Amino acid sequence: MTEYIHRKIETEVESALKKFPVVAITGPRQCGKSTLVKHLLQGRDDVVMLDIERDADLRKLSDPEMFFSNNSDKLICIDEVQRKPDLFKIIRYWVDKAERNGVFLLLGSASRDLLRQSSESLAGRIVYKHLTPFLINEIEDRVSLLDCCLKGTFPRSILIEDEYSMEWRENFITTFLERDLLQWRNFTPAMMRRLWMMLAGNNGQTVNYTALGNSLDLSNVSISNYIDLLESTYMVYVVRPYFSNMGKRMTKSPKVYVADSGMTTALLGISTSNQLLGNSVFGAIWEQMVLSNLKGNFPQADICYYRTSNGIEMDFVVTLRGNVYAIECKTSTAPSLQRGTYNAIEDINPNKVYVVAPVDSSYSINENIQVVSIPDLIKSINQSM
């Protein structure tokens, strides 16, 4: 039996089930939502679990009112609930009838319909928790940081042998494009694959809709819609620019990151750590690792990037509970800062500046600038709140 690896949001989910009638856990496919729930609910005899992708479970919901009535004293857990959006109005009825918390636990891997449908019918009755693939502070004692950069942090990719990891990721990409996206209209798998590969090759760059559209023979609107779809299914992160009241001319286009480093390397055909270290995409993958861990540990944070028209920039500006953190990402174990970075710090005037690098131990450059590893970045921000 595979050893269970504890996830950061476990206590949040357990607490939410006691405080809300409906709890929704969102996140990409194969990130561990079902495994998390089975761990949290093991030993309970008042739980019924359904997976809408299984025909047998889907048939049980052919008459949902009868099924819910027959299990009215249980916590009903429904996986891939966004595939049956007509359930939400019925769920609302049963929640109001039950007049208790912990009635439904919903799992979904596509946020667009899940959030829209549930917010329309379950307002005030539901709370959302987001699960990412593994965070570094969940698995740092099990795998190397370089392995995470190469293989990503989806559980089935990072916890298996290298030769099977690439095969798993390639199958994930194909399945995602050819099956999971069939519920969405106005796109083709081949075109989406080409766009995804182009985004991987330009990982972390400001998006040029016109250039992408010309390459793919699509309109700017279509490119925007495709990127929105990848974002809503957790396959890319879109980072908007940070604006202040300085009156400076700022870059206005968003930056787009492939959300998992292992998907980036698979899309680009990078299969070994030596290939990764020698590839110009490594810097952007490191930024993506920092970004995904910030998002996973601080889902309430507003994360932007800063760049002026004359090239002064900061990789990330994080606003969280009234504090502003400026974050620069460096792949060197002995990072140094350029004058432009110091200019950005002066412009942003953050509470704290972090230079995130693959270092073994943190140290200070000056009173306000600290060089940190990814786990130490998370610890320091937590301590400062």
PDB file of all heavy atoms in Angstrom, residues 180-215:
ATOM      1  N   ASP A 180     -10.821  15.235 -21.807  1.00  0.00           N
ATOM      2  CA  ASP A 180     -11.324  16.129 -20.772  1.00  0.00           C
ATOM      3  C   ASP A 180     -11.901  17.419 -21.337  1.00  0.00           C
ATOM      4  O   ASP A 180     -12.838  17.994 -20.779  1.00  0.00           O
ATOM      5  CB  ASP A 180     -10.211  16.475 -19.776  1.00  0.00           C
ATOM      6  CG  ASP A 180      -9.737  15.251 -19.019  1.00  0.00           C
ATOM      7  OD1 ASP A 180     -10.467  14.243 -19.025  1.00  0.00           O
ATOM      8  OD2 ASP A 180      -8.644  15.290 -18.432  1.00  0.00           O
ATOM      9  N   LEU A 181     -11.343  17.906 -22.447  1.00  0.00           N
ATOM     10  CA  LEU A 181     -11.812  19.166 -23.009  1.00  0.00           C
ATOM     11  C   LEU A 181     -12.991  19.002 -23.959  1.00  0.00           C
ATOM     12  O   LEU A 181     -13.462  19.976 -24.531  1.00  0.00           O
ATOM     13  CB  LEU A 181     -10.663  19.879 -23.727  1.00  0.00           C
ATOM     14  CG  LEU A 181      -9.564  20.458 -22.822  1.00  0.00           C
ATOM     15  CD1 LEU A 181      -8.581  21.273 -23.647  1.00  0.00           C
ATOM     16  CD2 LEU A 181     -10.144  21.332 -21.715  1.00  0.00           C
ATOM     17  N   LEU A 182     -13.474  17.774 -24.125  1.00  0.00           N
ATOM     18  CA  LEU A 182     -14.602  17.556 -25.033  1.00  0.00           C
ATOM     19  C   LEU A 182     -15.868  18.249 -24.541  1.00  0.00           C
ATOM     20  O   LEU A 182     -16.786  18.494 -25.329  1.00  0.00           O
ATOM     21  CB  LEU A 182     -14.863  16.057 -25.204  1.00  0.00           C
ATOM     22  CG  LEU A 182     -13.810  15.278 -26.002  1.00  0.00           C
ATOM     23  CD1 LEU A 182     -14.192  13.810 -26.063  1.00  0.00           C
ATOM     24  CD2 LEU A 182     -13.652  15.851 -27.401  1.00  0.00           C
ATOM     25  N   GLN A 183     -15.914  18.562 -23.245  1.00  0.00           N
ATOM     26  CA  GLN A 183     -17.106  19.238 -22.709  1.00  0.00           C
ATOM     27  C   GLN A 183     -17.145  20.705 -23.101  1.00  0.00           C
ATOM     28  O   GLN A 183     -18.147  21.384 -22.903  1.00  0.00           O
ATOM     29  CB  GLN A 183     -17.140  19.100 -21.190  1.00  0.00           C
ATOM     30  CG  GLN A 183     -15.936  19.698 -20.484  1.00  0.00           C
ATOM     31  CD  GLN A 183     -15.899  19.337 -19.019  1.00  0.00           C
ATOM     32  OE1 GLN A 183     -16.837  19.600 -18.276  1.00  0.00           O
ATOM     33  NE2 GLN A 183     -14.809  18.728 -18.583  1.00  0.00           N
ATOM     34  N   TRP A 184     -16.040  21.228 -23.657  1.00  0.00           N
ATOM     35  CA  TRP A 184     -15.986  22.634 -24.071  1.00  0.00           C
ATOM     36  C   TRP A 184     -16.098  22.721 -25.589  1.00  0.00           C
ATOM     37  O   TRP A 184     -15.598  21.867 -26.317  1.00  0.00           O
ATOM     38  CB  TRP A 184     -14.685  23.286 -23.612  1.00  0.00           C
ATOM     39  CG  TRP A 184     -14.359  23.021 -22.189  1.00  0.00           C
ATOM     40  CD1 TRP A 184     -13.379  22.227 -21.701  1.00  0.00           C
ATOM     41  CD2 TRP A 184     -15.031  23.563 -21.041  1.00  0.00           C
ATOM     42  NE1 TRP A 184     -13.393  22.217 -20.345  1.00  0.00           N
ATOM     43  CE2 TRP A 184     -14.387  23.024 -19.899  1.00  0.00           C
ATOM     44  CE3 TRP A 184     -16.105  24.426 -20.873  1.00  0.00           C
ATOM     45  CZ2 TRP A 184     -14.790  23.352 -18.613  1.00  0.00           C
ATOM     46  CZ3 TRP A 184     -16.496  24.739 -19.585  1.00  0.00           C
ATOM     47  CH2 TRP A 184     -15.853  24.208 -18.479  1.00  0.00           C
ATOM     48  N   ARG A 185     -16.685  23.774 -26.066  1.00  0.00           N
ATOM     49  CA  ARG A 185     -16.907  23.927 -27.498  1.00  0.00           C
ATOM     50  C   ARG A 185     -15.901  24.921 -28.094  1.00  0.00           C
ATOM     51  O   ARG A 185     -15.184  25.615 -27.399  1.00  0.00           O
ATOM     52  CB  ARG A 185     -18.334  24.430 -27.752  1.00  0.00           C
ATOM     53  CG  ARG A 185     -19.414  23.435 -27.309  1.00  0.00           C
ATOM     54  CD  ARG A 185     -20.791  24.008 -27.575  1.00  0.00           C
ATOM     55  NE  ARG A 185     -21.855  23.069 -27.182  1.00  0.00           N
ATOM     56  CZ  ARG A 185     -23.139  23.337 -27.277  1.00  0.00           C
ATOM     57  NH1 ARG A 185     -23.544  24.501 -27.760  1.00  0.00           N
ATOM     58  NH2 ARG A 185     -24.037  22.449 -26.895  1.00  0.00           N
ATOM     59  N   ASN A 186     -15.920  24.962 -29.424  1.00  0.00           N
ATOM     60  CA  ASN A 186     -15.164  25.955 -30.190  1.00  0.00           C
ATOM     61  C   ASN A 186     -13.657  25.859 -30.006  1.00  0.00           C
ATOM     62  O   ASN A 186     -12.959  26.870 -29.909  1.00  0.00           O
ATOM     63  CB  ASN A 186     -15.634  27.376 -29.829  1.00  0.00           C
ATOM     64  CG  ASN A 186     -17.118  27.574 -30.074  1.00  0.00           C
ATOM     65  OD1 ASN A 186     -17.649  27.100 -31.077  1.00  0.00           O
ATOM     66  ND2 ASN A 186     -17.786  28.249 -29.158  1.00  0.00           N
ATOM     67  N   PHE A 187     -13.143  24.650 -29.947  1.00  0.00           N
ATOM     68  CA  PHE A 187     -11.700  24.447 -29.946  1.00  0.00           C
ATOM     69  C   PHE A 187     -11.423  23.085 -30.552  1.00  0.00           C
ATOM     70  O   PHE A 187     -12.306  22.224 -30.632  1.00  0.00           O
ATOM     71  CB  PHE A 187     -11.114  24.523 -28.524  1.00  0.00           C
ATOM     72  CG  PHE A 187     -11.111  23.195 -27.835  1.00  0.00           C
ATOM     73  CD1 PHE A 187      -9.969  22.417 -27.808  1.00  0.00           C
ATOM     74  CD2 PHE A 187     -12.266  22.700 -27.257  1.00  0.00           C
ATOM     75  CE1 PHE A 187      -9.980  21.177 -27.203  1.00  0.00           C
ATOM     76  CE2 PHE A 187     -12.285  21.457 -26.659  1.00  0.00           C
ATOM     77  CZ  PHE A 187     -11.130  20.686 -26.628  1.00  0.00           C
ATOM     78  N   THR A 188     -10.202  22.894 -31.019  1.00  0.00           N
ATOM     79  CA  THR A 188      -9.793  21.582 -31.512  1.00  0.00           C
ATOM     80  C   THR A 188      -8.585  21.120 -30.703  1.00  0.00           C
ATOM     81  O   THR A 188      -7.732  21.934 -30.343  1.00  0.00           O
ATOM     82  CB  THR A 188      -9.412  21.625 -32.999  1.00  0.00           C
ATOM     83  OG1 THR A 188      -8.255  22.459 -33.161  1.00  0.00           O
ATOM     84  CG2 THR A 188     -10.553  22.180 -33.835  1.00  0.00           C
ATOM     85  N   PRO A 189      -8.481  19.830 -30.385  1.00  0.00           N
ATOM     86  CA  PRO A 189      -7.341  19.340 -29.608  1.00  0.00           C
ATOM     87  C   PRO A 189      -5.994  19.669 -30.255  1.00  0.00           C
ATOM     88  O   PRO A 189      -5.049  20.038 -29.565  1.00  0.00           O
ATOM     89  CB  PRO A 189      -7.591  17.827 -29.553  1.00  0.00           C
ATOM     90  CG  PRO A 189      -9.064  17.685 -29.678  1.00  0.00           C
ATOM     91  CD  PRO A 189      -9.479  18.774 -30.621  1.00  0.00           C
ATOM     92  N   ALA A 190      -5.909  19.540 -31.581  1.00  0.00           N
ATOM     93  CA  ALA A 190      -4.634  19.798 -32.255  1.00  0.00           C
ATOM     94  C   ALA A 190      -4.220  21.260 -32.098  1.00  0.00           C
ATOM     95  O   ALA A 190      -3.048  21.567 -31.843  1.00  0.00           O
ATOM     96  CB  ALA A 190      -4.740  19.430 -33.736  1.00  0.00           C
ATOM     97  N   MET A 191      -5.173  22.160 -32.253  1.00  0.00           N
ATOM     98  CA  MET A 191      -4.858  23.583 -32.122  1.00  0.00           C
ATOM     99  C   MET A 191      -4.486  23.922 -30.684  1.00  0.00           C
ATOM    100  O   MET A 191      -3.556  24.699 -30.439  1.00  0.00           O
ATOM    101  CB  MET A 191      -6.059  24.421 -32.566  1.00  0.00           C
ATOM    102  CG  MET A 191      -5.733  25.893 -32.731  1.00  0.00           C
ATOM    103  SD  MET A 191      -4.594  26.196 -34.097  1.00  0.00           S
ATOM    104  CE  MET A 191      -5.684  25.893 -35.498  1.00  0.00           C
ATOM    105  N   MET A 192      -5.200  23.338 -29.718  1.00  0.00           N
ATOM    106  CA  MET A 192      -4.884  23.598 -28.318  1.00  0.00           C
ATOM    107  C   MET A 192      -3.501  23.068 -27.963  1.00  0.00           C
ATOM    108  O   MET A 192      -2.749  23.709 -27.214  1.00  0.00           O
ATOM    109  CB  MET A 192      -5.942  22.971 -27.406  1.00  0.00           C
ATOM    110  CG  MET A 192      -5.728  23.259 -25.924  1.00  0.00           C
ATOM    111  SD  MET A 192      -5.964  25.005 -25.505  1.00  0.00           S
ATOM    112  CE  MET A 192      -7.726  25.036 -25.183  1.00  0.00           C
ATOM    113  N   ARG A 193      -3.131  21.915 -28.494  1.00  0.00           N
ATOM    114  CA  ARG A 193      -1.795  21.374 -28.243  1.00  0.00           C
ATOM    115  C   ARG A 193      -0.720  22.328 -28.778  1.00  0.00           C
ATOM    116  O   ARG A 193       0.277  22.583 -28.111  1.00  0.00           O
ATOM    117  CB  ARG A 193      -1.643  19.991 -28.873  1.00  0.00           C
ATOM    118  CG  ARG A 193      -0.255  19.377 -28.634  1.00  0.00           C
ATOM    119  CD  ARG A 193      -0.103  18.051 -29.363  1.00  0.00           C
ATOM    120  NE  ARG A 193      -0.872  16.993 -28.735  1.00  0.00           N
ATOM    121  CZ  ARG A 193      -0.396  16.208 -27.766  1.00  0.00           C
ATOM    122  NH1 ARG A 193       0.835  16.378 -27.315  1.00  0.00           N
ATOM    123  NH2 ARG A 193      -1.156  15.262 -27.259  1.00  0.00           N
ATOM    124  N   ARG A 194      -0.925  22.835 -29.992  1.00  0.00           N
ATOM    125  CA  ARG A 194       0.052  23.756 -30.576  1.00  0.00           C
ATOM    126  C   ARG A 194       0.189  25.021 -29.731  1.00  0.00           C
ATOM    127  O   ARG A 194       1.298  25.511 -29.490  1.00  0.00           O
ATOM    128  CB  ARG A 194      -0.358  24.108 -32.005  1.00  0.00           C
ATOM    129  CG  ARG A 194      -0.210  22.965 -33.012  1.00  0.00           C
ATOM    130  CD  ARG A 194      -0.696  23.387 -34.373  1.00  0.00           C
ATOM    131  NE  ARG A 194       0.084  24.526 -34.892  1.00  0.00           N
ATOM    132  CZ  ARG A 194      -0.294  25.273 -35.926  1.00  0.00           C
ATOM    133  NH1 ARG A 194      -1.451  25.001 -36.540  1.00  0.00           N
ATOM    134  NH2 ARG A 194       0.451  26.270 -36.332  1.00  0.00           N
ATOM    135  N   LEU A 195      -0.942  25.545 -29.273  1.00  0.00           N
ATOM    136  CA  LEU A 195      -0.885  26.738 -28.427  1.00  0.00           C
ATOM    137  C   LEU A 195      -0.174  26.442 -27.118  1.00  0.00           C
ATOM    138  O   LEU A 195       0.670  27.223 -26.660  1.00  0.00           O
ATOM    139  CB  LEU A 195      -2.301  27.250 -28.149  1.00  0.00           C
ATOM    140  CG  LEU A 195      -2.398  28.413 -27.140  1.00  0.00           C
ATOM    141  CD1 LEU A 195      -1.631  29.636 -27.629  1.00  0.00           C
ATOM    142  CD2 LEU A 195      -3.860  28.770 -26.862  1.00  0.00           C
ATOM    143  N   TRP A 196      -0.516  25.311 -26.503  1.00  0.00           N
ATOM    144  CA  TRP A 196       0.087  24.918 -25.225  1.00  0.00           C
ATOM    145  C   TRP A 196       1.604  24.778 -25.374  1.00  0.00           C
ATOM    146  O   TRP A 196       2.371  25.211 -24.509  1.00  0.00           O
ATOM    147  CB  TRP A 196      -0.540  23.603 -24.772  1.00  0.00           C
ATOM    148  CG  TRP A 196      -0.550  23.372 -23.292  1.00  0.00           C
ATOM    149  CD1 TRP A 196      -0.080  24.199 -22.311  1.00  0.00           C
ATOM    150  CD2 TRP A 196      -1.075  22.217 -22.628  1.00  0.00           C
ATOM    151  NE1 TRP A 196      -0.272  23.623 -21.079  1.00  0.00           N
ATOM    152  CE2 TRP A 196      -0.878  22.413 -21.240  1.00  0.00           C
ATOM    153  CE3 TRP A 196      -1.674  21.048 -23.074  1.00  0.00           C
ATOM    154  CZ2 TRP A 196      -1.260  21.471 -20.301  1.00  0.00           C
ATOM    155  CZ3 TRP A 196      -2.065  20.116 -22.127  1.00  0.00           C
ATOM    156  CH2 TRP A 196      -1.867  20.320 -20.754  1.00  0.00           C
ATOM    157  N   MET A 197       2.043  24.193 -26.477  1.00  0.00           N
ATOM    158  CA  MET A 197       3.478  24.052 -26.736  1.00  0.00           C
ATOM    159  C   MET A 197       4.139  25.422 -26.923  1.00  0.00           C
ATOM    160  O   MET A 197       5.252  25.668 -26.441  1.00  0.00           O
ATOM    161  CB  MET A 197       3.709  23.172 -27.958  1.00  0.00           C
ATOM    162  CG  MET A 197       3.367  21.707 -27.737  1.00  0.00           C
ATOM    163  SD  MET A 197       3.578  20.690 -29.232  1.00  0.00           S
ATOM    164  CE  MET A 197       5.370  20.786 -29.407  1.00  0.00           C
ATOM    165  N   MET A 198       3.456  26.334 -27.601  1.00  0.00           N
ATOM    166  CA  MET A 198       4.010  27.679 -27.788  1.00  0.00           C
ATOM    167  C   MET A 198       4.104  28.415 -26.455  1.00  0.00           C
ATOM    168  O   MET A 198       5.079  29.126 -26.190  1.00  0.00           O
ATOM    169  CB  MET A 198       3.160  28.454 -28.787  1.00  0.00           C
ATOM    170  CG  MET A 198       3.222  27.911 -30.199  1.00  0.00           C
ATOM    171  SD  MET A 198       2.194  28.832 -31.366  1.00  0.00           S
ATOM    172  CE  MET A 198       3.120  30.367 -31.468  1.00  0.00           C
ATOM    173  N   LEU A 199       3.107  28.245 -25.617  1.00  0.00           N
ATOM    174  CA  LEU A 199       3.144  28.876 -24.296  1.00  0.00           C
ATOM    175  C   LEU A 199       4.280  28.283 -23.457  1.00  0.00           C
ATOM    176  O   LEU A 199       4.935  28.999 -22.689  1.00  0.00           O
ATOM    177  CB  LEU A 199       1.804  28.693 -23.586  1.00  0.00           C
ATOM    178  CG  LEU A 199       0.605  29.428 -24.202  1.00  0.00           C
ATOM    179  CD1 LEU A 199      -0.679  29.051 -23.466  1.00  0.00           C
ATOM    180  CD2 LEU A 199       0.806  30.939 -24.179  1.00  0.00           C
ATOM    181  N   ALA A 200       4.516  26.963 -23.600  1.00  0.00           N
ATOM    182  CA  ALA A 200       5.630  26.338 -22.882  1.00  0.00           C
ATOM    183  C   ALA A 200       6.961  26.903 -23.349  1.00  0.00           C
ATOM    184  O   ALA A 200       7.870  27.152 -22.550  1.00  0.00           O
ATOM    185  CB  ALA A 200       5.595  24.820 -23.070  1.00  0.00           C
ATOM    186  N   GLY A 201       7.090  27.102 -24.654  1.00  0.00           N
ATOM    187  CA  GLY A 201       8.329  27.653 -25.185  1.00  0.00           C
ATOM    188  C   GLY A 201       8.553  29.092 -24.806  1.00  0.00           C
ATOM    189  O   GLY A 201       9.694  29.578 -24.790  1.00  0.00           O
ATOM    190  N   ASN A 202       7.466  29.808 -24.497  1.00  0.00           N
ATOM    191  CA  ASN A 202       7.550  31.207 -24.055  1.00  0.00           C
ATOM    192  C   ASN A 202       7.101  31.344 -22.609  1.00  0.00           C
ATOM    193  O   ASN A 202       6.516  32.357 -22.222  1.00  0.00           O
ATOM    194  CB  ASN A 202       6.692  32.093 -24.965  1.00  0.00           C
ATOM    195  CG  ASN A 202       7.217  32.159 -26.379  1.00  0.00           C
ATOM    196  OD1 ASN A 202       8.159  32.880 -26.681  1.00  0.00           O
ATOM    197  ND2 ASN A 202       6.613  31.370 -27.262  1.00  0.00           N
ATOM    198  N   ASN A 203       7.399  30.332 -21.820  1.00  0.00           N
ATOM    199  CA  ASN A 203       6.923  30.256 -20.444  1.00  0.00           C
ATOM    200  C   ASN A 203       7.322  31.498 -19.648  1.00  0.00           C
ATOM    201  O   ASN A 203       8.483  31.907 -19.633  1.00  0.00           O
ATOM    202  CB  ASN A 203       7.521  29.013 -19.782  1.00  0.00           C
ATOM    203  CG  ASN A 203       6.702  28.512 -18.620  1.00  0.00           C
ATOM    204  OD1 ASN A 203       5.520  28.819 -18.490  1.00  0.00           O
ATOM    205  ND2 ASN A 203       7.320  27.725 -17.758  1.00  0.00           N
ATOM    206  N   GLY A 204       6.336  32.102 -18.986  1.00  0.00           N
ATOM    207  CA  GLY A 204       6.627  33.251 -18.147  1.00  0.00           C
ATOM    208  C   GLY A 204       6.815  34.552 -18.889  1.00  0.00           C
ATOM    209  O   GLY A 204       7.193  35.565 -18.276  1.00  0.00           O
ATOM    210  N   GLN A 205       6.535  34.582 -20.184  1.00  0.00           N
ATOM    211  CA  GLN A 205       6.671  35.807 -20.963  1.00  0.00           C
ATOM    212  C   GLN A 205       5.327  36.521 -21.055  1.00  0.00           C
ATOM    213  O   GLN A 205       4.263  35.907 -20.907  1.00  0.00           O
ATOM    214  CB  GLN A 205       7.180  35.490 -22.370  1.00  0.00           C
ATOM    215  CG  GLN A 205       8.511  34.765 -22.396  1.00  0.00           C
ATOM    216  CD  GLN A 205       9.622  35.575 -21.748  1.00  0.00           C
ATOM    217  OE1 GLN A 205       9.821  36.738 -22.079  1.00  0.00           O
ATOM    218  NE2 GLN A 205      10.334  34.953 -20.820  1.00  0.00           N
ATOM    219  N   THR A 206       5.374  37.817 -21.304  1.00  0.00           N
ATOM    220  CA  THR A 206       4.127  38.536 -21.551  1.00  0.00           C
ATOM    221  C   THR A 206       3.508  38.006 -22.833  1.00  0.00           C
ATOM    222  O   THR A 206       4.191  37.769 -23.822  1.00  0.00           O
ATOM    223  CB  THR A 206       4.373  40.051 -21.674  1.00  0.00           C
ATOM    224  OG1 THR A 206       5.382  40.292 -22.652  1.00  0.00           O
ATOM    225  CG2 THR A 206       4.797  40.640 -20.344  1.00  0.00           C
ATOM    226  N   VAL A 207       2.221  37.792 -22.798  1.00  0.00           N
ATOM    227  CA  VAL A 207       1.551  37.147 -23.918  1.00  0.00           C
ATOM    228  C   VAL A 207       1.330  38.153 -25.053  1.00  0.00           C
ATOM    229  O   VAL A 207       0.886  39.284 -24.821  1.00  0.00           O
ATOM    230  CB  VAL A 207       0.220  36.512 -23.466  1.00  0.00           C
ATOM    231  CG1 VAL A 207      -0.758  37.551 -22.934  1.00  0.00           C
ATOM    232  CG2 VAL A 207      -0.408  35.714 -24.591  1.00  0.00           C
ATOM    233  N   ASN A 208       1.673  37.738 -26.253  1.00  0.00           N
ATOM    234  CA  ASN A 208       1.459  38.545 -27.457  1.00  0.00           C
ATOM    235  C   ASN A 208       0.366  37.858 -28.267  1.00  0.00           C
ATOM    236  O   ASN A 208       0.621  36.917 -29.013  1.00  0.00           O
ATOM    237  CB  ASN A 208       2.759  38.656 -28.262  1.00  0.00           C
ATOM    238  CG  ASN A 208       2.636  39.600 -29.439  1.00  0.00           C
ATOM    239  OD1 ASN A 208       1.584  39.713 -30.064  1.00  0.00           O
ATOM    240  ND2 ASN A 208       3.728  40.288 -29.752  1.00  0.00           N
ATOM    241  N   TYR A 209      -0.863  38.328 -28.100  1.00  0.00           N
ATOM    242  CA  TYR A 209      -1.999  37.674 -28.735  1.00  0.00           C
ATOM    243  C   TYR A 209      -1.897  37.711 -30.252  1.00  0.00           C
ATOM    244  O   TYR A 209      -2.257  36.744 -30.939  1.00  0.00           O
ATOM    245  CB  TYR A 209      -3.303  38.331 -28.287  1.00  0.00           C
ATOM    246  CG  TYR A 209      -3.595  38.180 -26.815  1.00  0.00           C
ATOM    247  CD1 TYR A 209      -3.335  39.204 -25.917  1.00  0.00           C
ATOM    248  CD2 TYR A 209      -4.131  36.993 -26.310  1.00  0.00           C
ATOM    249  CE1 TYR A 209      -3.601  39.060 -24.560  1.00  0.00           C
ATOM    250  CE2 TYR A 209      -4.406  36.833 -24.963  1.00  0.00           C
ATOM    251  CZ  TYR A 209      -4.132  37.884 -24.095  1.00  0.00           C
ATOM    252  OH  TYR A 209      -4.383  37.738 -22.758  1.00  0.00           O
ATOM    253  N   THR A 210      -1.386  38.810 -30.783  1.00  0.00           N
ATOM    254  CA  THR A 210      -1.281  38.937 -32.232  1.00  0.00           C
ATOM    255  C   THR A 210      -0.280  37.941 -32.801  1.00  0.00           C
ATOM    256  O   THR A 210      -0.548  37.261 -33.806  1.00  0.00           O
ATOM    257  CB  THR A 210      -0.874  40.370 -32.614  1.00  0.00           C
ATOM    258  OG1 THR A 210      -1.865  41.286 -32.135  1.00  0.00           O
ATOM    259  CG2 THR A 210      -0.751  40.521 -34.118  1.00  0.00           C
ATOM    260  N   ALA A 211       0.891  37.825 -32.171  1.00  0.00           N
ATOM    261  CA  ALA A 211       1.909  36.897 -32.658  1.00  0.00           C
ATOM    262  C   ALA A 211       1.416  35.458 -32.572  1.00  0.00           C
ATOM    263  O   ALA A 211       1.610  34.658 -33.508  1.00  0.00           O
ATOM    264  CB  ALA A 211       3.197  37.075 -31.864  1.00  0.00           C
ATOM    265  N   LEU A 212       0.759  35.096 -31.456  1.00  0.00           N
ATOM    266  CA  LEU A 212       0.220  33.743 -31.318  1.00  0.00           C
ATOM    267  C   LEU A 212      -0.866  33.488 -32.352  1.00  0.00           C
ATOM    268  O   LEU A 212      -0.927  32.427 -32.974  1.00  0.00           O
ATOM    269  CB  LEU A 212      -0.336  33.539 -29.909  1.00  0.00           C
ATOM    270  CG  LEU A 212       0.687  33.466 -28.769  1.00  0.00           C
ATOM    271  CD1 LEU A 212      -0.025  33.476 -27.418  1.00  0.00           C
ATOM    272  CD2 LEU A 212       1.554  32.211 -28.895  1.00  0.00           C
ATOM    273  N   GLY A 213      -1.725  34.493 -32.555  1.00  0.00           N
ATOM    274  CA  GLY A 213      -2.802  34.350 -33.528  1.00  0.00           C
ATOM    275  C   GLY A 213      -2.285  34.178 -34.939  1.00  0.00           C
ATOM    276  O   GLY A 213      -2.797  33.355 -35.706  1.00  0.00           O
ATOM    277  N   ASN A 214      -1.245  34.942 -35.285  1.00  0.00           N
ATOM    278  CA  ASN A 214      -0.665  34.815 -36.627  1.00  0.00           C
ATOM    279  C   ASN A 214      -0.036  33.432 -36.824  1.00  0.00           C
ATOM    280  O   ASN A 214      -0.132  32.839 -37.903  1.00  0.00           O
ATOM    281  CB  ASN A 214       0.388  35.902 -36.842  1.00  0.00           C
ATOM    282  CG  ASN A 214      -0.229  37.291 -36.986  1.00  0.00           C
ATOM    283  OD1 ASN A 214      -1.416  37.416 -37.289  1.00  0.00           O
ATOM    284  ND2 ASN A 214       0.560  38.320 -36.769  1.00  0.00           N
ATOM    285  N   SER A 215       0.618  32.907 -35.779  1.00  0.00           N
ATOM    286  CA  SER A 215       1.262  31.603 -35.890  1.00  0.00           C
ATOM    287  C   SER A 215       0.250  30.476 -36.027  1.00  0.00           C
ATOM    288  O   SER A 215       0.502  29.473 -36.703  1.00  0.00           O
ATOM    289  CB  SER A 215       2.148  31.349 -34.668  1.00  0.00           C
ATOM    290  OG  SER A 215       3.201  32.284 -34.593  1.00  0.00           O
TER     291      SER A 215
END
